[in-house]
């Protein structure tokens, strides 16, 4: 059991002094909660640069993947706040909502015209191929 207050409403503890701790920490409404901390992995393999982001609950229509002129990969999206009914009583709100935007400057060895994007089981995968490396035979 933790005595740390939740930033998304309510406390994480039933200790009597937990409410005094939460008074010093600002609480965020669901509309203002951050979705900006989307974590994205960037792996470079011999064949490609591979970006992966866990985006559970998002549909591919809610995402945008773009390549800017100066070799910048831009991944953005938005998770909307669930509609609340007047009679609903929320006990805990921990899932974040809002917009996110991440940019990555791609190296010179990225084939910008052959980018592939896939969304499967809540994981966005962006694959940017690299030029084929040809082995050169050494004579002598």
């Amino acid at each position: 059991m933790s005595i740390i207050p939740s930033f998304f409403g309510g406390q994480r503890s039933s200790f009597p002094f937990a409410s005094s701790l939460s008074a010093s920490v600002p609480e965020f409404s669901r509309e203002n909660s951050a979705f900006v901390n989307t974590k994205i992995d960037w792996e470079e393999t011999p064949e490609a640069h591979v970006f992966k982001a866990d985006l559970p609950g998002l549909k591919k229509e809610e995402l945008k993947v773009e390549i800017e002129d100066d070799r910048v990969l831009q991944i953005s999206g938005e998770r909307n706040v669930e509609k609340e009914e007047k009679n609903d009583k929320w006990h805990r709100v921990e899932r974040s909502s809002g917009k996110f935007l991440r940019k990555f400057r791609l190296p010179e060895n990225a084939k910008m015209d052959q980018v592939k994007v896939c969304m499967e089981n809540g994981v966005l995968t962006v694959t940017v191929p690299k030029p084929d490396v040809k082995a050169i035979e050494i004579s002598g």
Side-chain angles (χ1 to χ4, degrees):
M1 185 180 310
S2 172
I3 62 170
I4 301 170
S6 170
F7 288 106
F8 299 105
Q11 288 106 24
R12 291 183 173 175
S13 171
S14 59
F15 291 121
F17 57 86
S19 60
S20 63
L21 288 174
S22 65
S24 64
V25 179
E27 289 199 21
F28 301 102
S29 70
R30 292 185 76 195
E31 292 81 13
N32 294 330
S33 60
F35 188 48
V36 295
N37 292 329
T38 299
K39 307 287 191 242
I40 298 178
D41 296 338
W42 178 358
E43 175 188 14
E44 182 175 358
T45 68
E47 297 82 26
H49 296 274
V50 181
F51 298 84
K52 290 188 178 185
D54 292 337
L55 300 168
L58 283 183
K59 300 175 190 138
K60 63 181 181 178
E61 295 81 20
E62 298 170 318
L63 298 169
K64 188 185 284 188
V65 178
E66 301 171 294
I67 302 287
E68 296 178 352
D69 293 334
D70 51 350
R71 308 185 72 77
V72 175
L73 172 67
Q74 178 174 299
I75 302 171
S76 61
E78 180 174 9
R79 176 177 288 140
N80 295 315
V81 177
E82 289 185 21
K83 187 176 180 180
E84 295 181 23
E85 300 295 326
K86 286 185 178 182
N87 296 330
D88 288 349
K89 179 179 178 184
W90 290 88
H91 294 276
R92 189 183 266 332
V93 177
E94 294 182 339
R95 297 183 309 146
S96 57
S97 61
K99 295 180 182 182
F100 74 92
L101 171 72
R102 296 294 306 274
K103 292 185 178 190
F104 301 92
R105 181 165 308 281
L106 295 169
E108 293 294 323
N109 68 349
K111 289 185 173 182
M112 308 301 283
D113 58 338
Q114 297 179 15
V115 175
K116 293 183 176 132
V117 182
C118 174
M119 180 75 161
E120 187 174 329
N121 296 326
V123 178
L124 175 72
T125 303
V126 179
T127 305
V128 184
K130 292 166 48 177
D132 296 330
V133 178
K134 297 179 183 175
I136 300 171
E137 188 175 323
I138 300 172
S139 61

